[in-house]
Amino acid sequence: MMKLNKLNAAVLAGLAGYSLSMTVATSAFAEEAAEENVEKIAVVGARGAPRSVTSSPVPVDVLTADDINGVASSDMNDIMMTLVPSYTLSRQPISDGGTFIRPASLRGLPTDKTLVLVNGKRRHRAALVQIGGSGTQGPDLATIPAAALGSVEVLRDGAAAQYGSDAIAGVINFQLKNNAEGGSLSLDAGQYYEGDGQQYTISGNKGFSLGDDGFLSISAEVTDSEATYRGEQYCEGWFCVDDQSEQYIADAEAMGRSVHGTDGEVQPWGQPNYSGAKVFLNAGYALSGDMELYSFANYSESEGDGSFFYRYPNNGTIQDLREIDGTIYSPLEKFPGGFTPRFFGDITDYSFAAGLKGMAGSLGYDISGRYGYNEISYTLANTINPSMGSASPTKFHPGDLSNDELQFQADFTYDLAEYVFAFGLSYMEESYEISQGDEASYAVGPHSIPDPYGLCSRVDNGFGLATDEQVATAVANGLDCSDSSDPVYQAVGVGSNGFPGYSDEFTGTYERDSYAVYGDISGDLTDALFAQAAIRFEDYSDFGSEVVYKIAGIYQLTDELALRSSYGTGFRAPTPGQQGTTNVSTRLPNGFPVATGLFPANSVVAQALGAEILKPETSTNFTFGLTAEFDSLTLTVDYYHILLEDRVNAISTKTVSTDPTSGEAYDNYLALDAAGVVGANTIGGVFFFQNAFDTVTEGLDVVATYSMESDMGDTMITASFNYGTNEFDGDPGDLFNLEDRFDFENGTPSTRGVFSVKHSMDDFSVTARLSYYGSYENSNGILTDESGDPIGVAQIQEFDPEYMFDLEGTYFINETLSVSLGARNLFDNYPDPGTIGETCCGRIYRSDSIVDWQGGYYYMKLNATF
């Protein structure tokens, strides 16, 4: 047991930042260290190792390359969700940039509370800030191709003291392949049972030797997937396409076919079109027997498209407008069947990291630097800038978002015989930039205000005062200034409808730098007790400094059973993107399109409505667990409790109205108007990020594996289970209304489980996987008492548990080639249809559900290894 505990010390030192991603060059140095490295890797994630490390004082899942390749998806987000029950995400087809970069969570907390590493080095964030919820801005896992991975380690515990800001929920480390020879090539193709969503992925890896002492591993992936459609024709109480004239229906359906490729439905619901190409390189070279140079890099380009809500006549966007000559213009002249804005995103992502590591006596060192960049460039088509009237184009470039990071760090370990001391420091610069869109995408056109040309008021409103002759012509064309409903008084929205562009007022670069120092010591206190302690000081140019710490230990009750526990504090500074992002999009709070604006907390707009400057989130993490290992059975059971204080979240939308009788909504309009917000009269809601409340996240993770060998072949059984809840710690106050509170605590399944069996015999293998999602609830509307005070939610829908079954069979043709046939969601299960709230406008299933609603998918894979 002494030897095993020393290995734990080395592993935890790695978690402190030194050797999580040890790359092994084919050299004398590698050969001399081979035995030790094999033992280390066997603990933290070698091929064939158990999924969970039973000797670690904190919960760690290990996913092998076989596990990863056994999931029928090219998206790393879907792979993680399939294999790790506490990792969840949803498909949100109408969510601005969230259509392309999907928000996820680990242990019930958003991904910006999880630190993502590649080869033990921090992965840069994506440029997208999710405009709702926690405003997540985390790395885009979809940029990491499965073919590049040797393994994935999921540390399910707070680790801010080792890694710093972000590691509140846990750490995910992607270990790249380090092969100096051989390779693989795979072709994967399939489609959904519905006959849509055709997808193919071509991926491969090739290893090269760099002389006798190094390696270069190159991995690439090309993927293309077509959109799915899981909706029905737009037919609601306020507007139904099927109730219109035959010509209107024909025009609307023609628009649907030409734009969406559907059968004429004007409102698509499903996964978007997506294509991408990704490359990863990993290299190492032994300079001597105890010194190694390493580097890794990636480059990816991807594009996707989605749709916004269908615009029908008189919905606030398609309105009759009087031109300066008195003639009436309607957007139906451009789109006779109404229109559905189309949103396109082009994503570019690249990074480079390099370092030098080795041993100098008892001192281990790792000196490294990295740079990462992510950019999203938006295009909006099939829409208009309503305020420009007939002069509006139908295609826009709303702007670009980019995020880059530069970091230098030095990590050291020192072997103190029975203990390992780790220490280090880092410096990081971060930058988030919002780039201006084309002028038409944000232009304030004349129809942003009533009577823009002064035809009735005879006042110059800044758009040119009509001449007496033009007034006379307008009257001849039907102008009636005495009629308050005359189109001359109609005002419509500003900017490209669906996603107004970024003007110079809302563009800019948000920067900060930070530095940190840490120390970590671990080792055997007794023959049965291993312990670790870590402390970290971190200082941010925009948020000041913080000290966090952590202690952890594992006590071996017997050779088979052990108890483990950890306690620590955490710290997460809001990102530059969360501080600076702004967005005006269209939402449907009551089925009617409303322009809703997200503004930075430190902006004049948000400040006028009571916002406070953002501050860091802090956390307290506690875990307690049991590990067991009996022959072929391994079992881990871990309870976790995370208190997150000053949690950053979008507030409930503040309604804005120009109606003087609307009370608080009118006060909000006056505040925006006084703040000089352009187009304030066309904005229906405003929200912003705040340190809104405190929460308690707690739950239980269970992971068990069992292997069997017999004359009938080898069988591996894995069962994973997560139960987790999110609750408010105290009253969130007026920032969060009762409906949002209910959905926050009840809107996702509290229970998830994955049970899989893989059986191999001779030239065949079969993998069966069952995924379970527990019940969850959604609310809609707020009940009020006679005085108008909220007293509860108006409606609640409960969604039943769901089971989804995957099956794959593989035939190994020879040592090089294999073919696999399989089905994901074999029995074509769907979640319950939504009956209240957001399930409208042709939508059948709640699009934000973590339960997949695309139906069954079948596929074939051809694999070659060489």
Side-chain angles (χ1 to χ4, degrees):
M1 184 156 59
M2 185 71 71
K3 183 178 180 181
L4 182 60
N5 285 336
K6 287 183 177 179
L7 286 174
N8 277 329
V11 170
L12 286 174
L15 288 176
Y18 169 60
S19 62
L20 241 178
S21 62
M22 179 68 74
T23 55
V24 183
T26 56
S27 64
F29 164 56
E31 292 173 0
E32 291 173 3
E35 182 178 355
E36 181 183 358
N37 283 332
V38 167
E39 290 176 340
K40 288 180 180 178
I41 294 174
V43 175
V44 298
R47 293 179 186 271
R51 288 190 66 243
S52 188
V53 183
T54 58
S55 59
S56 170
V58 291
V60 179
D61 285 335
V62 176
L63 311 177
T64 68
D66 286 342
D67 294 329
I68 296 166
N69 294 330
V71 178
S73 177
S74 62
D75 190 321
M76 188 53 60
N77 283 293
D78 291 320
I79 293 172
M80 293 297 298
M81 181 171 176
T82 300
L83 298 175
V84 182
S86 58
Y87 186 94
T88 60
L89 80 158
S90 59
R91 166 68 67 192
Q92 300 185 21
I94 297 182
S95 185
D96 295 327
T99 302
F100 317 121
I101 300 177
R102 294 184 289 165
S105 68
L106 180 68
R107 281 189 160 181
L109 294 176
T111 42
D112 60 357
K113 313 296 189 293
T114 298
L115 178 62
V116 176
L117 309 175
V118 173
N119 278 359
K121 307 302 179 185
R122 180 185 286 265
R123 180 71 173 164
H124 61 277
R125 299 185 183 93
L128 177 69
V129 178
Q130 303 289 339
I131 63 172
S134 66
T136 296
Q137 186 190 8
D140 182 10
L141 299 193
T143 61
I144 304 175
L149 299 176
S151 65
V152 179
E153 295 131 351
V154 183
L155 172 62
R156 294 178 279 110
D157 188 40
Q162 289 106 328
Y163 296 105
S165 186
D166 300 350
I168 288 177
V171 178
I172 302 175
N173 181 46
F174 293 91
Q175 298 260 59
L176 300 177
K177 291 178 179 176
N178 55 11
N179 50 312
E181 59 183 8
S184 62
L185 182 65
S186 174
L187 171 62
D188 182 334
Q191 69 174 24
Y192 286 92
Y193 289 8
E194 294 288 334
D196 58 10
Q198 291 83 3
Q199 175 178 316
Y200 75 82
T201 301
I202 303 173
S203 61
N205 166 267
K206 182 67 177 74
F208 302 90
S209 62
L210 300 179
D212 295 329
D213 301 317
F215 73 92
L216 171 63
S217 181
I218 302 176
S219 305
E221 176 184 284
V222 176
T223 186
D224 183 273
S225 60
E226 298 182 3
T228 61
Y229 180 77
R230 298 294 178 269
E232 58 191 4
Q233 185 59 285
Y234 193 111
C235 188
E236 303 293 345
W238 52 83
F239 188 86
C240 181
V241 172
D242 293 337
D243 290 343
Q244 308 310 302
S245 68
E246 292 184 3
Q247 184 59 51
Y248 186 92
I249 294 173
D251 290 336
E253 289 183 342
M255 185 273 295
R257 283 193 294 271
S258 63
V259 175
H260 312 303
T262 68
D263 293 329
E265 293 82 354
V266 299
Q267 180 67 70
W269 292 102
Q271 74 176 23
N273 293 305
Y274 175 84
S275 62
K278 309 159 191 177
V279 177
F280 248 97
L281 288 78
N282 188 31
Y285 191 87
L287 300 176
S288 68
D290 52 11
M291 181 184 296
E292 182 183 358
L293 181 68
Y294 65 88
S295 68
F296 55 93
N298 87 285
Y299 183 85
S300 71
E301 289 186 351
S302 61
E303 59 182 7
D305 62 67
S307 295
F308 289 142
F309 288 101
Y310 168 62
R311 272 57 168 171
Y312 52 87
N314 301 313
N315 74 336
T317 298
I318 299 180
Q319 300 285 347
D320 288 342
L321 305 171
R322 279 212 186 272
E323 301 282 44
I324 196 169
D325 63 357
T327 57
I328 293 178
Y329 160 77
S330 169
L332 292 176
E333 296 176 22
K334 287 182 168 65
F335 302 105
F339 67 92
T340 304
R342 294 284 290 163
F343 196 43
F344 302 83
D346 293 303
I347 303 172
T348 302
D349 183 280
Y350 55 84
S351 67
F352 176 79
L356 182 70
K357 63 184 176 183
M359 296 293 297
S362 298
L363 180 68
Y365 60 88
D366 185 347
I367 313 296
S368 66
R370 69 172 183 90
Y371 176 78
Y373 179 84
N374 184 275
E375 178 187 80
I376 307 175
S377 180
Y378 290 132
T379 301
L380 195 63
N382 207 60
T383 188
I384 57 173
N385 180 336
S387 69
M388 294 178 67
S390 59
S392 172
T394 59
K395 187 175 182 179
F396 306 85
H397 174 57
D400 304 330
L401 304 175
S402 63
N403 188 90
D404 68 343
E405 299 174 17
L406 175 67
Q407 184 179 22
F408 299 98
Q409 67 184 79
D411 301 291
F412 304 91
T413 60
Y414 191 79
D415 190 352
L416 300 172
E418 295 300 321
Y419 303 95
V420 172
F421 177 54
F423 59 97
L425 63 151
S426 73
Y427 172 80
M428 182 164 67
E429 295 179 353
E430 303 173 70
S431 175
Y432 177 79
E433 183 177 4
I434 303 175
S435 300
Q436 189 170 340
D438 61 53
E439 185 176 357
S441 70
Y442 59 81
V444 181
H447 299 289
S448 61
I449 60 173
D451 192 15
Y453 307 113
L455 289 169
C456 295
S457 68
R458 307 306 295 140
V459 173
D460 188 348
N461 294 302
F463 296 103
L465 180 63
T467 65
D468 291 340
E469 182 179 354
Q470 288 173 320
V471 172
T473 301
V475 171
N477 283 327
L479 171 66
D480 184 358
C481 293
S482 65
D483 182 2
S484 61
S485 63
D486 190 282
V488 73
Y489 296 114
Q490 180 67 54
V492 290
V494 172
S496 44
N497 189 249
F499 192 96
Y502 299 112
S503 67
D504 56 357
E505 183 179 359
F506 297 111
T507 58
T509 301
Y510 302 84
E511 300 175 316
R512 76 161 173 227
D513 59 75
S514 63
Y515 67 89
V517 294
Y518 72 90
D520 180 298
I521 189 167
S522 56
D524 297 303
L525 298 184
T526 70
D527 287 346
L529 177 62
F530 170 84
Q532 177 202 26
I535 189 169
R536 187 182 189 94
F537 171 83
E538 202 150 6
D539 184 86
Y540 284 79
S541 60
D542 51 357
F543 287 113
S545 59
E546 188 79 14
V547 175
V548 293
Y549 64 89
K550 178 179 178 179
I551 56 174
I554 183 168
Y555 184 79
Q556 205 74 34
L557 296 172
T558 68
D559 289 342
E560 295 83 14
L561 296 174
L563 297 176
R564 63 186 179 188
S565 184
S566 68
Y567 180 87
T569 60
F571 166 84
R572 196 196 73 85
T575 69
Q578 288 175 319
Q579 298 177 70
T581 192
T582 183
N583 177 276
V584 178
S585 58
T586 302
R587 298 187 174 191
L588 274 77
N590 297 299
F592 193 82
V594 172
T596 304
L598 165 69
F599 296 93
N602 62 353
S603 68
V604 175
V605 176
Q607 292 285 299
L609 297 182
E612 296 182 358
I613 302 299
L614 293 179
K615 58 184 178 180
E617 302 168 306
T618 58
S619 68
T620 303
N621 296 59
F622 171 74
T623 66
F624 180 79
L626 167 74
T627 73
E629 190 164 6
F630 298 96
D631 296 326
S632 299
L633 172 68
T634 64
L635 172 69
T636 64
V637 181
D638 293 283
Y639 164 80
Y640 59 91
H641 182 283
I642 306 170
L643 171 62
L644 185 55
E645 298 181 277
D646 296 321
R647 182 165 176 169
V648 173
N649 208 88
I651 68 167
S652 296
T653 301
K654 290 180 174 289
T655 304
V656 179
S657 175
T658 57
D659 181 1
T661 66
S662 60
E664 183 181 352
Y666 183 64
D667 293 337
N668 291 335
Y669 162 69
L670 294 178
L672 294 181
D673 188 56
V677 178
V678 176
N681 61 312
T682 64
I683 294 179
V686 169
F687 65 106
F688 40 84
F689 298 125
Q690 286 286 267
N691 296 98
F693 42 73
D694 302 338
T695 60
V696 172
T697 301
E698 63 180 340
L700 186 72
D701 284 323
V702 180
V703 179
T705 63
Y706 183 73
S707 60
M708 297 184 296
E709 296 181 2
S710 69
D711 294 339
M712 299 297 293
D714 300 332
T715 303
M716 174 63 76
I717 301 173
T718 303
S720 305
F721 170 85
N722 170 257
Y723 173 81
T725 61
N726 260 313
E727 296 181 350
F728 294 104
D729 185 35
D731 189 345
D734 297 335
L735 295 178
F736 231 43
N737 64 39
L738 294 181
E739 180 182 349
D740 289 338
R741 295 186 199 184
F742 183 93
D743 293 343
F744 180 88
E745 294 186 327
N746 303 282
T748 58
S750 58
T751 304
R752 257 210 84 203
V754 179
F755 179 82
S756 65
V757 178
K758 182 176 182 178
H759 181 74
S760 302
M761 181 177 64
D762 298 329
D763 297 330
F764 294 90
S765 73
V766 177
T767 300
R769 181 184 300 111
L770 177 66
S771 296
Y772 169 78
Y773 301 84
S775 61
Y776 57 103
E777 295 177 314
N778 177 57
S779 66
N780 182 56
I782 300 174
L783 294 174
T784 59
D785 57 21
E786 294 180 356
S787 62
D789 294 329
I791 57 175
V793 294
Q795 298 173 294
I796 296 175
Q797 179 182 359
E798 181 174 352
F799 293 82
D800 292 333
E802 293 294 337
Y803 300 85
M804 295 190 178
F805 187 72
D806 303 338
L807 183 65
E808 178 180 291
T810 300
Y811 172 64
F812 296 91
I813 301 172
N814 52 43
E815 293 183 356
T816 300
L817 298 174
S818 67
V819 58
S820 301
L821 297 175
R824 189 172 70 220
N825 191 4
L826 179 66
F827 300 112
D828 199 27
N829 286 348
Y830 287 84
D832 294 341
T835 60
I836 62 173
E838 297 90 340
T839 312
C840 74
C841 315
R843 176 168 34 182
I844 299 174
Y845 309 101
R846 285 191 58 82
S847 54
D848 60 352
S849 170
I850 69 168
V851 182
D852 185 72
W853 45 278
Q854 303 301 313
Y857 177 88
Y858 58 89
Y859 60 91
M860 180 181 73
K861 293 192 295 186
L862 295 174
N863 299 283
T865 58
F866 47 88

